[in-house]
Amino acid sequence: MEMKAQQSIAAGRRRVWDALNDPEALKAAIPGCESFERSGENQFTARITNRIGPVKARFSFIIELSDLDPPNSYVLHGKGQGGAAGFANGSARVSLEDDGDNTVLSYELDASVGGKLAQLGGRLIDGAAKKLADEFFSRLGEAIAGEEEEAPQAAEIDKPETADEPEPGSRLKTATLIRLGAILLIAAILLYWLV
Amino acid sequence: MQENGIGASVRRKEDQRFLLGKGRYTDDINVAGQTCAVFVRSPHAHAVIEGIDAEAAGAAPGVVAVLTGEDLAADGIGPLICGVQVTSDDGKPHRAPAHPALALGKVNYVGDHVAVVIAETLAQARDAAELVEVNYRPLPAVASTADAAGEGQQQIHEEAPNNICFNWPFGDKEANDEAFAGAHKVSSIELVNNRMVTNPMEPRAALGEYNSGTEEITLHLTTQNPHVHRLVLAAFNQLAPEHKLRVVGPDVGGGFGAKIFVYAEELVVGWACRKVNRPVKWTADRTEAFMSDAHGRDHVARAEMALDENGKFLAMRVHTIANLGAYLSTFATMVPSYLYAFLFAGQYATPLIYSEVKAVFTNTAPVDASRGAGRPEATYLLERLVDVCAADMGLDPAEIRRRNFIPKDAFPYQTPVVQCYDSGDYEAALDKAMELADYGGFEARAAEAKDRGKLRGIGFSSYVEACGIAPSAAVGQLGGGVGLWESAQVRFNPTGNVQVFTGTHSHGQGHETTFAQLVCDQLGVPFENIEVIHGDTAKTQFGMGTYGSRSLAVGGVAIAKACDKLIAKGKKIAAHAMEAAEGDIEFAGGNYTVAGTDKSMNIAEVAFNAYVPHSYPEGVEPGFDENAFFDPMNFSFPAGTHICEVEVDPSTGEVEIVDYTAVDDFGKLVNPMIVEGQVHGGIVHGIGQALLEGCHYDADGQLVTASYMDYAMPRADNAPDFRVDYAPTDPPHNPLGVKGCGEAGAIGAPPAVINAIANAIGAKHVEMPATPETVWRACQAAV
């Protein structure tokens, strides 16, 4: 499938990145996300377990980044194995832009699914993916709103992660984008699985 | 004629157990100590297996064993084989890549078998199967029939360059080209014969038991041909010697071809039950059936007809690409070759036919015979082309058929494509069908439909099919690895009732009734005193099974021949008992009579004498039990004309079949009710292909129609009440005068339906399945 969308998030770009940089906020936004870890330079692993109707499956994702252009865009490649549920592979080009007080997040996703995901869900994917993406961003928005109230804490979390980096700004952006992209991919994959 | 003999619509005796829920299917059978098998299947269409980690699965609760292709290969089991050889245009045999029952280093389609998990319960086996970690390195997949042999395509098998299994030209190309060059007109059509999943109601299943005391394996299988399974598993797959292998096909819930073949699961279950020394059962779920049953059809073809100024067919040429899937199934190569191109004459006296078939491998499930097997593909192509010819020549579709029919006095008729038709009267069937369908009143009906906003169309299909494949010598010449005779044993018990053992297998056809009627008719034994036994290699002598509409035309004759032997032997016994000369004994209606006297003796009394030979003719063996084999001299050639009438709603593209007439030549009917049921079922099968069914793989080779959510089967409301009648001729080579009837509907119906739709909307062609979307688009294009 191919999916292309933009989402406007009612927060400044910096604040969106901060939120996206918060592992707890990300976990909260992705249903069933068990872990999200760095496994190498530009490589990450994630585990998501979910029960959709009668199907319970755990996906193991390997996520790799390429074409890094901090703080504008990058391409993310993900490979997910879902055991009996099949597999999901995809890549997404993700970018962030300021839009007044808001931040516009754009993504173009190209994904393919196999096994049960393709056999039982194929034709409903597009509609369901859009619906889940909406859910993801609304949850993320709530997380940002909560963060706003606890801004000092959020800043504290940011500091240790960026303090040791020679180019704190771009590293932060990269890390943020990595997670954002991963979530988008995972969200889209989950959607396949929903149907 | 006996009351329940030939020609009587006796109610099916097997229905008592089916309607009472007393049928006994493979999955109904449970044995002590039984384990359950679940197959780990590839989610990839094409991938290298870089490793299989079965440790966690092996340690999971209840797991008895996790076995892979390496285990299978180490035991020297397999690979699966293809039993028919086609010679490619380079003079070499078709390319037959190794077909391991469990993958060895590579998977070639979604659903391909990677490992088997055997556990105490099905749930445990399923849970453990999820723990088998397979490390795949995906490769590009080949999913398109048309492009599979194209340049730059990913190679699937080393042994098959350009993914070509065979290129098979047939016919005199030069003479054909010459005829085309001099033709008044050339009509042509390009079409796709849509891939189908055969979908018998009962999914495939296997139960294997190993007796370490006798070293015998017993396999209960969903099979249409237990002896063929045993032969292949023993002789080619090294499962066990033939005498140590018993194959039982108990009640089987439909086959339609899909249960002919020897499948990976069957071989693996047979092997695994010995390996773990426990009974092993496997039953497919519906999605497994979609993924791993052999599929049917899947051709892309172009056909041309050269015509003279009177609309007479001068020559026909066909180019076909046939998809065989990832591996060769048991009879895969035969379907798009001998069962296809040899049918291109159809009912017509076309003097020259040239065909080229390119059979290709793709990363899809294997493709093999499915109800009709090659003949529906041939008939659809030909009958669609004939309608295009009619339109190009400005002739009525009935008229162009009539002008080109093989005349009834031309039989036996040697076609230019091997087949020699033994009997037929095609015009009689056409006339009768046109009368029944009220062809003359069509214009008025179409006008009335137009007032309601509907487009009404009428379509013809005049098919001929070749079933009851024979004789064995010809099968051998064509590269077939088996003989296609049939056998029977007819055994009187001392108390006068009869057990009939047939090598055919009934999985919905009603043999237990039809064959009992036949024996009732031949021997004059009451219908209720006859039991037909089939499906168990330990009970029946031998047999080739049921497919290709062969059971009555071949197996029925074997039964009749065994009856003849009994009657002849009985004459000796009766002559002795009645103190008459054997030559004076006549047999009729179950009684031996001394000619010209009132001395008579029932065959049951003769049977008793044979088993209690206290006063018995010298030199005659005791017992009343005879075997017979029948190897026909020729195929059986059922034929007929089907006429379909549809109404299309141009605003939605919805097609309603408002009338359907079938006039078939099946020779003599033994049980007209059962025959009519076969005709109904076959037509509905054909309507399914024409309107609803389509098996789709996406560009990555993912099967996207793997359940009934996405694959539409025909239902009762897709069909009208059928008008069914017959125009029989007598096939001279068949001692019973019968022809096959099981596939005719599925062969005749698709072109009748599509011709009707094309006629309704004024389009040259509409692809199958003619879904509302397809038809609506065609309506838009035609406007």
Side-chain angles (χ1 to χ4, degrees):
Chain A
M1 73 164 281
E2 285 172 15
M3 194 170 146
K4 194 175 172 181
Q6 288 192 333
Q7 286 284 340
S8 184
I9 298 173
R13 190 179 187 185
R14 171 76 201 184
R15 197 160 291 162
V16 173
W17 287 354
D18 287 349
L20 286 168
N21 206 29
D22 177 353
E24 293 307 314
L26 297 175
K27 267 195 181 178
I30 308 167
C33 180
E34 287 175 9
S35 66
F36 186 78
E37 288 161 9
R38 180 186 285 272
S39 56
E41 199 187 353
N42 296 333
Q43 197 188 70
F44 301 82
T45 58
R47 273 184 178 272
I48 298 175
T49 300
N50 218 324
R51 176 179 282 281
I52 311 291
V55 184
K56 185 179 180 186
R58 169 182 281 196
F59 273 89
S60 301
F61 284 102
I62 296 173
I63 297 144
E64 283 178 332
L65 303 180
S66 70
D67 303 352
L68 292 148
D69 179 20
N72 300 315
S73 68
Y74 68 92
V75 179
L76 173 153
H77 310 272
K79 285 185 180 178
Q81 294 281 353
F87 67 85
N89 296 332
S91 58
R93 175 170 289 276
V94 182
S95 58
L96 246 66
E97 281 171 28
D98 286 330
D99 179 21
D101 292 341
N102 296 345
T103 304
V104 173
L105 179 152
S106 309
Y107 59 93
E108 284 177 48
L109 182 100
D110 183 3
S112 61
V113 292
K116 269 205 179 109
L117 294 170
Q119 287 153 16
L120 301 179
R123 63 190 169 138
L124 300 174
I125 285 173
D126 289 18
K130 286 194 174 70
K131 183 165 172 272
L132 201 79
D134 286 347
E135 274 175 32
F136 171 74
F137 285 110
S138 91
R139 288 165 86 156
L140 194 68
E142 283 166 26
I144 291 167
E147 206 175 87
E148 207 169 350
E149 288 166 19
E150 299 168 44
Q153 261 186 315
E156 270 171 38
I157 292 165
D158 282 345
K159 271 179 189 167
E161 271 194 43
T162 56
D164 299 338
E165 305 298 335
E167 292 169 30
S170 74
R171 284 305 243 178
L172 173 64
K173 281 164 200 159
T174 305
T176 304
L177 285 168
I178 286 161
R179 285 170 189 163
L180 174 63
I183 288 154
L184 286 170
L185 180 70
I186 290 159
I189 284 156
L190 274 170
L191 285 169
Y192 295 170
W193 185 25
L194 259 171
V195 293
Chain B
M1 188 185 103
Q2 297 288 314
E3 189 191 346
N4 292 317
I6 291 174
S9 285
V10 181
R11 290 205 175 181
R12 302 195 337 158
K13 32 163 71 178
E14 42 273 86
D15 285 344
Q16 179 168 342
R17 70 174 187 278
F18 295 146
L19 295 174
L20 291 175
K22 299 292 185 188
R24 191 171 145 90
Y25 298 86
T26 299
D27 194 53
D28 291 328
I29 301 165
N30 293 298
V31 293
Q34 174 180 300
T35 61
C36 291
V38 166
F39 285 83
V40 176
R41 294 177 184 276
S42 171
H44 294 277
H46 197 197
V48 173
I49 298 174
E50 298 200 316
I52 300 174
D53 182 354
E55 206 180 317
V63 172
V64 175
V66 181
L67 303 169
T68 66
E70 284 178 17
D71 299 312
L72 194 69
D75 285 358
I77 303 294
L80 301 172
I81 58 135
C82 176
V84 179
Q85 186 183 301
V86 173
T87 303
S88 197
D89 58 356
D90 57 5
K92 293 180 186 162
H94 71 259
R95 311 299 189 261
H99 186 182
L102 292 172
L104 282 170
K106 192 161 172 276
V107 285
N108 288 310
Y109 66 100
V110 170
D112 203 352
H113 316 73
V114 176
V116 63
V117 177
I118 296 161
E120 299 291 340
T121 70
L122 181 58
Q124 287 171 334
R126 282 197 172 149
D127 285 349
E130 292 202 20
L131 299 175
V132 176
E133 291 209 11
V134 186
N135 187 10
Y136 296 103
R137 178 163 54 82
L139 300 169
V142 180
S144 155
T145 305
D147 302 335
E151 257 182 49
Q153 269 289 5
Q154 172 72 28
Q155 281 288 296
I156 301 172
H157 300 289
E158 255 177 52
E159 303 89 331
N162 299 317
N163 299 324
I164 295 171
C165 177
F166 60 78
N167 274 314
W168 185 66
F170 188 82
D172 185 341
K173 187 173 190 300
E174 222 170 280
N176 195 284
D177 286 346
E178 223 167 274
F180 268 89
H184 167 73
K185 193 175 262 302
V186 173
S187 294
S188 68
I189 190 162
E190 283 178 45
L191 51 77
V192 171
N193 200 290
N194 45 328
R195 186 176 179 117
M196 295 181 58
V197 180
T198 303
N199 274 308
M201 192 183 292
E202 179 205 20
R204 289 188 297 114
L207 168 63
E209 295 168 77
Y210 177 65
N211 184 327
S212 57
T214 61
E215 298 183 330
E216 189 184 58
I217 293 173
T218 300
L219 263 178
H220 281 80
L221 299 177
T222 45
T223 173
Q224 299 179 213
N225 30 244
H227 289 92
V228 173
H229 262 91
R230 186 179 67 161
L231 178 65
V232 173
L233 289 166
F236 300 102
N237 304 147
Q238 292 79 42
L239 178 60
E242 210 172 355
H243 66 301
K244 292 292 185 185
L245 180 59
R246 176 183 172 199
V247 175
V248 187
D251 282 330
V252 173
F256 310 107
K259 293 172 182 168
I260 296 171
F261 323 118
V262 177
Y263 285 95
E265 296 91 347
E266 298 166 343
L267 177 58
V268 168
V269 164
W271 161 71
C273 72
R274 180 170 57 200
K275 186 122 185 128
V276 304
N277 202 12
R278 296 269 303 271
V280 176
K281 184 197 272 187
W282 167 79
T283 302
D285 65 28
R286 187 55 69 180
T287 290
E288 276 187 293
F290 272 99
M291 279 192 288
S292 66
D293 284 6
H295 294 172
R297 320 281 192 255
D298 202 343
H299 286 192
V300 176
R302 173 182 168 79
E304 296 159 281
M305 187 76 86
L307 298 121
D308 75 6
E309 57 281 4
N310 297 315
K312 286 277 250 183
F313 303 156
L314 301 173
M316 177 183 174
R317 65 182 167 210
V318 184
H319 290 84
T320 308
I321 303 174
N323 188 351
L324 298 180
Y327 305 100
L328 296 180
S329 173
T330 317
F331 294 109
T333 50
M334 180 169 68
V335 178
S337 53
Y338 314 140
L339 294 179
Y340 172 64
F342 291 176
L343 267 294
F344 283 152
Q347 299 193 350
Y348 311 110
T350 314
L352 289 163
I353 296 173
Y354 178 74
S355 156
E356 283 181 16
V357 177
K358 187 190 294 291
V360 296
F361 291 107
T362 58
N363 294 116
T364 64
V367 178
D368 206 323
S370 177
R371 200 176 198 167
R375 293 152 285 164
E377 295 91 315
T379 303
Y380 180 62
L381 188 75
L382 177 58
E383 287 301 288
R384 281 266 54 232
L385 178 61
V386 168
D387 261 30
V388 172
C389 292
D392 288 351
M393 294 298 296
L395 285 172
D396 182 278
E399 178 56 26
I400 197 164
R401 285 174 169 81
R402 200 183 295 278
R403 283 189 194 181
N404 285 286
F405 277 161
I406 297 160
K408 71 175 174 185
D409 56 8
F411 292 91
Y413 177 82
Q414 179 61 53
T415 70
V417 280
V418 176
Q419 299 289 10
C420 180
Y421 300 161
D422 62 352
S423 61
D425 185 349
Y426 304 142
E427 213 162 349
L430 178 71
D431 287 342
K432 203 169 197 175
M434 287 172 72
E435 190 191 326
L436 274 176
D438 183 21
Y439 187 60
F442 172 72
E443 289 306 329
R445 294 194 293 279
E448 186 275 329
K450 202 172 179 188
D451 292 342
R452 289 182 280 112
K454 297 285 179 69
L455 304 174
R456 195 162 173 128
I458 193 160
F460 287 78
S461 166
S462 295
Y463 75 93
V464 63
E465 74 129 322
C467 59
I469 306 175
S472 295
V475 174
Q477 278 169 11
L478 288 176
V482 293
L484 281 170
W485 41 263
E486 196 44 78
S487 81
Q489 182 181 359
V490 180
R491 177 196 296 164
F492 267 86
N493 294 318
T495 53
N497 48 38
V498 177
Q499 288 174 298
V500 180
F501 300 86
T502 172
T504 66
H505 184 277
S506 186
H507 34 277
Q509 295 86 347
H511 294 173
E512 289 164 44
T513 305
T514 301
F515 292 169
Q517 285 180 255
L518 185 59
V519 172
C520 169
D521 205 84
Q522 303 276 307
L523 298 180
V525 176
F527 178 76
E528 57 276 14
N529 288 356
I530 303 162
E531 198 65 28
V532 176
I533 294 141
H534 63 88
D536 185 343
T537 59
K539 288 183 183 169
T540 59
Q541 57 298 332
F542 208 90
M544 296 311 296
T546 287
Y547 39 79
S549 306
R550 69 189 300 274
S551 297
L552 180 63
V554 188
V557 175
I559 293 172
K561 285 167 71 86
C563 290
D564 289 344
K565 289 185 184 178
L566 282 169
I567 291 166
K569 181 174 181 178
K571 277 187 181 170
K572 292 187 171 71
I573 301 166
H576 180 84
M578 293 190 284
E579 297 175 333
E582 191 191 330
D584 291 338
I585 304 293
E586 291 172 345
F587 180 77
N591 292 311
Y592 290 97
T593 311
V594 181
T597 74
D598 58 356
K599 271 186 161 178
S600 179
M601 191 177 178
N602 188 265
I603 193 166
E605 293 173 72
V606 169
F608 183 82
N609 281 9
Y611 287 105
V612 189
H614 294 168
S615 169
Y616 204 64
E618 216 169 289
V620 177
E621 289 176 16
F624 211 41
D625 182 2
E626 293 288 349
N627 266 304
F629 283 66
F630 178 58
D631 197 340
M633 293 303 292
N634 197 351
F635 283 65
S636 165
F637 296 100
T641 287
H642 289 203
I643 300 176
C644 177
E645 213 164 312
V646 299
E647 282 189 4
V648 176
D649 184 336
S651 62
T652 64
E654 200 182 354
V655 174
E656 188 190 351
I657 297 177
V658 290
D659 203 355
Y660 196 102
T661 303
V663 175
D664 297 299
D665 170 7
F666 297 139
K668 188 190 284 183
L669 308 185
V670 175
N671 184 319
M673 179 197 71
I674 288 179
V675 171
E676 191 171 341
Q678 289 283 327
V679 172
H680 286 196
I683 293 170
V684 172
H685 213 134
I687 289 173
Q689 175 167 26
L691 295 184
L692 300 157
E693 298 185 51
C695 173
H696 289 286
Y697 285 87
D698 71 12
D700 298 324
Q702 289 294 329
L703 177 61
V704 294
T705 50
S707 79
Y708 291 133
M709 289 192 299
D710 298 290
Y711 188 95
M713 293 286 286
R715 300 178 183 212
D717 65 351
N718 298 116
D721 285 338
F722 301 116
R723 299 171 201 266
V724 175
D725 209 334
Y726 307 97
T729 60
D730 186 23
H733 78 270
N734 189 289
L736 289 173
V738 299
K739 304 185 179 190
C741 70
E743 296 163 294
I747 293 167
V753 174
I754 298 299
N755 283 345
I757 295 171
N759 175 252
I761 67 176
K764 180 182 176 183
H765 182 56
V766 178
E767 291 282 16
M768 301 191 291
T771 60
E773 182 188 347
T774 301
V775 175
W776 182 83
R777 286 184 191 282
C779 287
Q780 301 308 303
V783 167

